[in-house]
Amino acid sequence: MTLLVADLRAFVAAVRKELRQVRRYPTLLLSILFWPVLLPTAWVLMGRAYSGNDPQALEAFAQRAGSPQVAGFVFVGYAMYMWLSTLLWGPGTALRTEQVRGSLEAVFLTPASRLVPLFGPGAANILPASLNFVVMGVALWLLFGFVPTFQATLWTLVIIVLGVPAMYAIGALFAASVLRFGEVGPVVQLVRGIFVLACGITFPVAMLPGWAQVSAWLLPPTYIVEDIRRVLLQGAGPADVTEHVILVLAMAVITAAAAAMVFRALETSARRTGMLSRF
Amino acid sequence: MTAPAVETKDLVKVFERGRRTIWQRLRREPDRRERFSAVDGIDLRVETGEIFGLLGPNGAGKTTTMKMLATLLIPTSGSIRVLGIDPLERPRDVRARLGAMLSGERSLYWKLTARENLEYFAALYHVSPNQTRARIERALAAVNLSDRADDYVERYSTGMRQRLALARALLPDPPLVILDEPTVGLDPQASRDLRDRVRELRAQGRTVLLTTHYMEEADQLCDRVAIIDHGRIVALDTPAALKRTIRAEEVVHLELGIDGDDRTVLEHLGRMATVARSERTNGTLAVTAHCASARDFVPAAFDAARSAGATIRHVEVVPVTLEDVFLSLTGRALRE
Amino acid sequence: MIGDVRAALAIARKDIRNLSRYRIAVASMAFTPLYQFVIPAFLFGAAFAVNGRATGLTATLGTDDLTGFIFLGGVVAGIVSTAFWGMAMSIRNEMDMGTLEPSWLTPTSHEMFVIGRAIGGMLFLILTQAALFLFGILFMGLRLRPEMLLALPAVLLALLSMVGIAYLLAGIVLLIREANFFIDTANFLFVTISGVSFPVTLLPGVLQPIALALPTTYAVDILRVQALGARPLFGVGIEYGLLVAGTAIAYPLGRWAFARAERTMRRRGMLSQY
């Protein structure tokens, strides 16, 4: 029991350290306000160019996307993109920096659980990520006049909260694997690229070729985005998304286990070769 | 008499600390930035063909002076002539004749080989293509890196990178070479090696101006040394002449055990030698004394200590160094 | 002068050499425009297609060539980001790495550090654009018309004006603290407001005068008019005139700003601050 409490305290300390860093870089805060508005707005305007206000074109989009709400569709997709971005950048860079600086070794010297450095940095991103969602919601309302019902908002929140474990598990799995590559930046670009193409971020998954659609439905973000769009844009209720939510939770368990395994394997190999600080 | 390689008159550089935000500018708020003089009226004259050293602690204004000579900084006031040219009026002409090594190993491309680094900088130094090859070979040979020329710089040791930075400074075949802390961060062997290279530069007829905060380096390497502190030159001469200024043949470091007041014992010691420095830590008093003869002073010091109720625990006699000169001029040690 | 030209070429060669040794980074640079823009934009646009035709785009622009629309926008986006990242930000990166100081100690004119990078950046841009176009032709049904070559002067002018703007940007990023954020945001806004991803007529009213002041806006437009037969903003002749005027202003303005920034740095001594 005491060990659990100590671990929890170590975890909180890791989160606090990350938050402090966020505060020291003011432009980080500025980018939390800028990008979530600028990027999706540009895509909504692209949608206007592609539709040309042609009723037939809009109808075609509605059929493929499940809703004629282009702005809502894009903003939900981009919210997921932002979330994924912070989850890939944050923990990956944090763990890599700790590795390079040698402080990862220092953490391994403490009795704290190995899971603390793996999952701690991700948790610190909860605050910026939620801020992202709020900013995007406000932008959607102010720029495009989209206001969801209270109920839809509530169910969206539930889907997001239940999606958290899966998303953080992805961040942790990525962070653990990235230690092998050395350079975090290019790998983030690559992995994020795959998610953008596969998970229906800026276009309906139905637009993908068959084989790509199959792989898309193996990734938790695809379900989360789809479900949020259903409740927010199509008026679906909890019963319509329960199946997906359970599936996402199951995927979270598998991904988290994989992350812990990769991290453990890395630590074991490091202890054997004595090369924790450089791979 | 030939023209000096470097000449400065009343050189001053004032920096501002802190920032003045756009908001403050727009509201025309008074400028509250703190100003400090990094260089505060330096007169220098470095003769052609000598190795001249600027010796001083970190933050004394050595690097700022070097950067002004190298055209990287504009002085607040005063005049500069580098090889007879005013760097403010003709910065590019100065740069074409000057070999400078300012920030050692970080200033190289680590993902390029030594040769590729030098090829690149040779072009920037406007070395003509038919001379480039020979010039690079000569520069590499001068710093003993010919056999590792095709290795990536990332595989080099710190000392090798420092030498490569020196090779780069030699590319324009400069009559004047300026080196900012050339041996900082190097192990003793690598430092010795680099100093040998600097002596060779003088043998080739080049003028070398270097900064250092290692007194041994200034002593062994330089023909003349300017001791610089708080942006001012406090002494300038040959190392031997500088050491003579403190009118002592030897320096004695004493460590005394003392319980009560230390004024009496310092007074006694002061009658027989110059007490350059004394520092009290709890029951221990450390004293540095400059004297004509340690043979006479040490026994007398024992008597003085006994009569003041103190005991001498440790005695060390050393020859006079530039460190002592700095100490006698500023009351502080170089590394403080 | 000859020495400076040679130095500029050496800078370009060094940049390409240096870059070629970071393979993962190069791969990701080539992949980024594909995943971030080209493919998603194409699939997004295709989601509006009626019976396989981009009727919506025809209503907006007078052409239904969705792929061509996206790829030609990409050319100008590539030029802009080469100026922002390759020419301006890379100077800042050298400053942070510590290699700018020894370069500035050489007699090479400091302007050459922008020009040299422009040459290196352009070579790299041509390579990446060629790879992108190849991908487009093979997998996305991109068709190129020979009339496209008529827009080449517009592309070259846009390039020249962007070198001018790169001077200005280099001056800014050498002085400010959060250079990365500045370049990232400004690059996105510049590309978007130039009409790369959608026609500038769809921009909110306040942004339209800015769009019309950017030389790249006309380069994008001329390119699409010549190559796709899209409806022009004003007419190709007028747009060429505006493009030349924009370049004529941007170039000297940029050089002036760069020289000023350089002087400020020599006064304040920021060259080796990191």
Side-chain angles (χ1 to χ4, degrees), chain A residues 81-101:
Chain A
Y81 173 81
M82 293 285 168
W83 196 8
L84 259 172
S85 259
T86 52
L87 280 178
L88 295 182
W89 271 119
T93 324
L95 209 57
R96 173 71 188 158
T97 320
E98 298 233 6
Q99 182 194 22
V100 172
R101 271 199 316 231

Side-chain angles (χ1 to χ4, degrees), chain B residues 13 15 67 71-74 92 95 102-103 106-107 109 111 116 120 123-124 126 129 152 168, chain C residues 4 6 10 14 17-18 21-22 94 96-98 101 104-108 266-269 272 274:
Chain B
K13 181 67 198 174
F15 285 117
K67 286 191 173 169
T71 77
L72 290 181
L73 273 179
I74 300 175
R92 289 180 69 181
R95 296 201 293 259
L102 295 187
S103 49
R106 279 186 71 246
S107 65
Y109 294 94
K111 279 279 180 192
E116 286 167 348
Y120 171 59
L124 294 190
H126 294 178
Y152 283 176
R168 174 180 61 202
Chain C
D4 268 354
R6 245 187 241 124
K14 181 266 301 167
R17 214 178 226 175
N18 207 17
R21 302 207 170 140
Y22 292 92
E94 291 227 10
D96 294 341
M97 265 162 41
E101 193 175 80
W104 283 37
L105 280 170
T106 65
T108 292
R266 283 178 65 200
R267 228 181 33 241
R268 290 196 211 152
S272 52
Y274 38 84

Side-chain angles (χ1 to χ4, degrees), chain C residues 169-223:
Chain C
L169 293 168
I172 296 173
V173 294
L174 285 177
L175 293 181
I176 63 173
R177 212 169 282 194
E178 303 281 355
N180 218 62
F181 174 75
F182 168 76
I183 287 284
D184 207 11
T185 322
N187 182 25
F188 174 80
L189 288 173
F190 206 103
V191 165
T192 309
I193 296 177
S194 302
V196 162
S197 36
F198 53 85
V200 294
T201 45
L202 290 175
L203 280 170
V206 279
L207 294 178
Q208 294 215 5
I210 303 176
L212 298 181
L214 299 180
T216 38
T217 302
Y218 303 109
V220 176
D221 206 54
I222 294 169
L223 203 54

Side-chain angles (χ1 to χ4, degrees), chain A residues 129-218:
Chain A
S130 1
L131 205 61
N132 247 333
F133 290 145
V134 173
V135 170
M136 293 182 89
V138 172
L140 193 55
W141 165 49
L142 290 178
L143 297 176
F144 302 100
F146 180 88
V147 185
T149 62
F150 173 74
Q151 220 167 13
T153 315
L154 192 72
W155 288 122
T156 303
L157 277 177
V158 172
I159 294 170
I160 291 174
V161 170
L162 291 175
V164 165
M167 295 296 287
Y168 286 94
I170 291 174
L173 177 59
F174 176 77
S177 335
V178 88
L179 287 182
R180 281 251 163 225
F181 290 98
E183 290 267 332
V184 179
V187 189
V188 169
Q189 303 274 23
L190 224 68
V191 173
R192 188 169 60 179
I194 292 166
F195 278 113
V196 168
L197 294 181
C199 300
I201 302 286
T202 51
F203 55 85
V205 178
M207 298 306 296
L208 287 169
W211 59 269
Q213 286 190 38
V214 174
S215 0
W217 293 111
L218 292 174

Side-chain angles (χ1 to χ4, degrees), chain A residues 27 49-52 54 64 189 193 202, chain C residues 35 44 46-47 49 55-56 60 178 197:
Chain A
T27 47
Y50 296 149
S51 75
D54 179 30
R64 289 166 180 136
Q189 303 274 23
T202 51
Chain C
Y35 92 81
F44 186 47
T55 51
T60 312
E178 303 281 355
S197 36

Side-chain angles (χ1 to χ4, degrees), chain A:
Chain A
M1 189 61 202
T2 47
L3 191 66
L4 185 70
V5 172
D7 264 356
L8 213 62
R9 218 181 280 136
F11 186 80
V12 170
V15 172
R16 205 162 48 197
K17 189 196 76 193
E18 290 297 311
L19 278 181
R20 232 176 236 153
Q21 279 174 356
V22 171
R23 215 180 48 201
R24 304 249 155 98
Y25 293 99
T27 47
L28 218 64
L29 212 69
L30 221 57
S31 35
I32 290 172
L33 293 175
F34 262 22
W35 292 116
V37 181
L38 289 180
L39 276 173
T41 304
W43 280 78
V44 175
L45 293 176
M46 274 163 75
R48 293 212 175 139
Y50 296 149
S51 75
N53 261 338
D54 179 30
Q56 273 185 305
L58 283 169
E59 172 57 30
F61 178 80
Q63 268 183 10
R64 289 166 180 136
S67 149
Q69 295 266 13
V70 179
F73 179 89
V74 168
F75 268 75
V76 170
Y78 256 100
M80 173 53 80
Y81 173 81
M82 293 285 168
W83 196 8
L84 259 172
S85 259
T86 52
L87 280 178
L88 295 182
W89 271 119
T93 324
L95 209 57
R96 173 71 188 158
T97 320
E98 298 233 6
Q99 182 194 22
V100 172
R101 271 199 316 231
S103 44
L104 188 58
E105 209 159 19
V107 174
F108 279 156
L109 285 174
T110 66
S113 158
R114 301 320 190 222
L115 299 180
V116 169
L118 186 57
F119 290 96
N125 285 313
I126 287 179
L127 193 71
S130 1
L131 205 61
N132 247 333
F133 290 145
V134 173
V135 170
M136 293 182 89
V138 172
L140 193 55
W141 165 49
L142 290 178
L143 297 176
F144 302 100
F146 180 88
V147 185
T149 62
F150 173 74
Q151 220 167 13
T153 315
L154 192 72
W155 288 122
T156 303
L157 277 177
V158 172
I159 294 170
I160 291 174
V161 170
L162 291 175
V164 165
M167 295 296 287
Y168 286 94
I170 291 174
L173 177 59
F174 176 77
S177 335
V178 88
L179 287 182
R180 281 251 163 225
F181 290 98
E183 290 267 332
V184 179
V187 189
V188 169
Q189 303 274 23
L190 224 68
V191 173
R192 188 169 60 179
I194 292 166
F195 278 113
V196 168
L197 294 181
C199 300
I201 302 286
T202 51
F203 55 85
V205 178
M207 298 306 296
L208 287 169
W211 59 269
Q213 286 190 38
V214 174
S215 0
W217 293 111
L218 292 174
L219 301 170
T222 315
Y223 292 93
I224 302 174
V225 172
E226 166 79 10
D227 293 345
I228 295 176
R229 280 181 182 144
R230 274 196 204 168
V231 296
L232 215 53
L233 310 175
Q234 298 165 33
D240 303 311
V241 295
T242 320
E243 221 172 288
H244 278 181
V245 168
I246 293 168
L247 211 59
V248 168
L249 284 171
M251 284 172 163
V253 175
I254 298 168
T255 319
M261 253 160 61
V262 170
F263 199 58
R264 164 79 30 110
L266 212 71
E267 193 205 342
T268 316
S269 109
R271 277 168 65 190
R272 201 175 301 131
T273 55
M275 299 237 293
L276 188 62
S277 50
R278 53 198 175 92
F279 289 96

Side-chain angles (χ1 to χ4, degrees), chain C residues 110-180:
Chain C
H110 296 169
E111 279 192 24
M112 287 303 132
F113 293 95
V114 176
I115 297 287
R117 279 186 173 71
I119 299 170
M122 281 311 129
L123 285 175
F124 193 74
L125 177 71
I126 290 170
L127 281 177
T128 45
Q129 286 295 329
L132 277 178
F133 271 74
L134 191 70
F135 182 88
I137 291 166
L138 291 178
F139 302 107
M140 296 170 72
L142 176 67
R143 305 180 307 274
L144 299 177
R145 298 200 306 188
E147 292 92 319
M148 212 181 126
L149 291 174
L150 288 174
L152 209 60
V155 175
L156 292 176
L157 276 169
L159 231 157
L160 205 60
S161 68
M162 284 317 292
V163 176
I165 288 166
Y167 274 124
L168 175 78
L169 293 168
I172 296 173
V173 294
L174 285 177
L175 293 181
I176 63 173
R177 212 169 282 194
E178 303 281 355
N180 218 62

